[in-house]
Amino acid sequence: MLDLIIKALPVFLAVVPLFVWLDKAKRFTHRRKFYLERLTAVTEYIDHYYEQDKEKVEKDCAAQALVCSEKVSHLEVDYVLKEYPQRFFIMIKKLITARHMVDTTLDDGKITLTTKFSKKNCRKKRWILAGYYLLSMVIVESNDLLVFLINHLGLKTFQVDTWILLTGTAVTVVVGVFIAFISGMLFLSVDALIEIYDD
């Protein structure tokens, strides 16, 4: 068996680079097609909707189709096109992530982004949310830790049924996961807002 593997090894080593090259070529082709389609979408939006007097709903739908998200309006897309044309898709992704913390206003035809959070406040919130995320891990394990401490410190004062222990574990897992999810999502939003400030 080992002889067959040794004999087949040179053939295998000769064929693997071909498959790797084919995979890279395929990925490059897909990536190129994706960027060309994106270029077509941007060109179409600029030609037909950017700074054009169209119905708001129509412009919103076109903007959402361009960025593949219903979480933006044409105001955000027009703002990013004007202010960050060279980094359009990077900035629009950050804006979508921080959408709950940023307000878009139109004043005398000028689009502005406003937020009630300062950069310093956002940095503080980011640390607090990271703390909540770590706290959620402790909450998930709190039921087991409490039982472990009671058993090893000799504090058994009453008998607890297994189903109560399982219910407690389930509750702490649900609460911990919920806190981790919410704090993680808010952390991403605050982090995106700080990056928008930096840009």
Side-chain angles (χ1 to χ4, degrees):
M1 178 72 175
L2 189 59
D3 286 347
L4 288 172
I5 293 172
I6 291 170
K7 287 177 183 175
L9 196 58
V11 175
F12 177 75
L13 292 174
V15 172
V16 166
L18 175 66
F19 285 123
V20 170
W21 178 80
L22 287 172
D23 183 51
K24 280 185 181 176
K26 189 175 180 183
R27 277 187 286 148
F28 177 78
T29 304
H30 280 295
R31 207 173 322 154
R32 181 174 163 75
K33 185 179 176 186
F34 167 74
Y35 284 111
L36 284 172
E37 286 174 359
R38 207 162 75 165
L39 172 64
T40 305
V42 171
T43 306
E44 185 180 323
Y45 182 83
I46 290 171
D47 289 346
H48 296 98
Y49 299 100
Y50 182 60
E51 295 183 341
Q52 301 287 327
D53 189 21
K54 299 271 186 182
E55 287 291 328
K56 183 181 180 298
V57 175
E58 185 182 353
K59 284 187 80 171
D60 279 347
C61 289
Q64 291 165 1
L66 172 62
V67 298
C68 299
S69 173
E70 71 281 355
K71 296 168 185 168
V72 295
S73 70
H74 71 279
L75 295 176
E76 286 95 350
V77 171
D78 286 358
Y79 177 84
V80 176
L81 264 175
K82 185 176 181 182
E83 299 295 328
Y84 306 98
Q86 73 283 6
R87 298 174 56 222
F88 174 75
F89 286 99
I90 294 169
M91 289 304 297
I92 207 73
K93 185 177 179 184
K94 290 177 186 177
L95 203 54
I96 288 170
T97 305
R99 70 190 177 280
H100 298 301
M101 308 180 92
V102 176
D103 296 318
T104 312
T105 55
L106 183 62
D107 189 26
D108 292 331
K110 187 178 180 187
I111 304 166
T112 54
L113 299 179
T114 57
T115 183
K116 56 186 175 185
F117 304 103
S118 68
K119 189 174 180 181
K120 185 179 179 183
N121 192 334
C122 286
R123 287 179 194 267
K124 196 186 302 180
K125 278 182 187 297
R126 190 165 55 175
W127 283 107
I128 292 168
L129 289 167
Y132 275 125
Y133 188 82
L134 294 173
L135 177 68
S136 70
M137 304 303 168
V138 174
I139 290 171
V140 167
E141 293 296 322
S142 63
N143 196 50
D144 293 335
L145 287 171
L146 190 60
V147 170
F148 176 80
L149 286 173
I150 288 171
N151 288 339
H152 280 75
L153 294 176
L155 300 173
K156 289 186 190 178
T157 54
F158 54 90
Q159 189 67 28
V160 177
D161 289 337
T162 308
W163 70 271
I164 294 175
L165 188 63
L166 287 173
T167 304
T169 302
V171 168
T172 55
V173 166
V174 168
V175 170
V177 168
F178 180 74
I179 291 172
F181 179 76
I182 296 297
S183 59
M185 294 302 290
L186 289 173
F187 181 89
L188 291 175
S189 293
V190 170
D191 195 50
L193 185 57
I194 290 170
E195 288 180 10
I196 290 170
Y197 264 121
D198 291 340
D199 290 324

